[in-house]
Amino acid sequence: QVQLVESGGGLVQAGGSLSLSCAASGRTFSSYAMGWFRQVPGKEREFVAAIVWSGGNSYYADSVKGRFTISRDKAKNTVYLQMNSLKPEDSGVHYCAATAPDLAYCSDSGCRDGETYDYWGQGTRVTVSS
């Protein structure tokens, strides 16, 4: 099965930048897509960004579009989330997710849906101060 480990979270001032990484278990990784979700206490988990592993097609939540960039390094089995112009509302635990190895495709809406993803990391906390 796929194992995911996030890193890169921390404290940053509003307007600053932060880059998150998600490393998948190298030899077993074969997910169609990987995504980032975030959650804060009292609120539902929300979609942030996703990327199709093979072709690199990317998807973004409206709230982060233009500020965040998702990318992947196939050789390192790693997905990144570059976060720029951070706002306090970007704070929260950020989770990396991967689809099951047997998922052949997910649509635009499907790739944005947490139910599409079967594997999840432990999360990395991002705190944006004002």
Side-chain angles (χ1 to χ4, degrees), residues 27-110:
R27 295 180 180 179
T28 61
F29 182 73
S30 60
S31 294
Y32 175 78
M34 295 184 67
W36 289 96
F37 294 77
R38 68 188 179 198
Q39 189 169 33
V40 297
K43 298 183 68 176
E44 296 181 358
R45 178 185 60 190
E46 65 176 353
F47 168 78
V48 177
I51 188 167
V52 175
W53 189 256
S54 181
N57 306 73
S58 58
Y59 307 88
Y60 297 95
D62 289 342
S63 62
V64 307
K65 197 169 187 177
R67 298 188 297 120
F68 291 9
T69 302
I70 188 169
S71 62
R72 87 280 196 230
D73 186 329
K74 292 183 178 180
K76 296 181 179 180
N77 289 335
T78 300
V79 171
Y80 304 94
L81 184 67
Q82 179 64 46
M83 305 182 291
N84 299 324
S85 301
L86 283 162
K87 306 173 181 179
E89 51 263 44
D90 294 320
S91 298
V93 178
H94 286 64
Y95 296 93
C96 177
T99 60
D102 61 352
L103 182 69
Y105 173 80
C106 57
S107 65
D108 186 313
S109 59

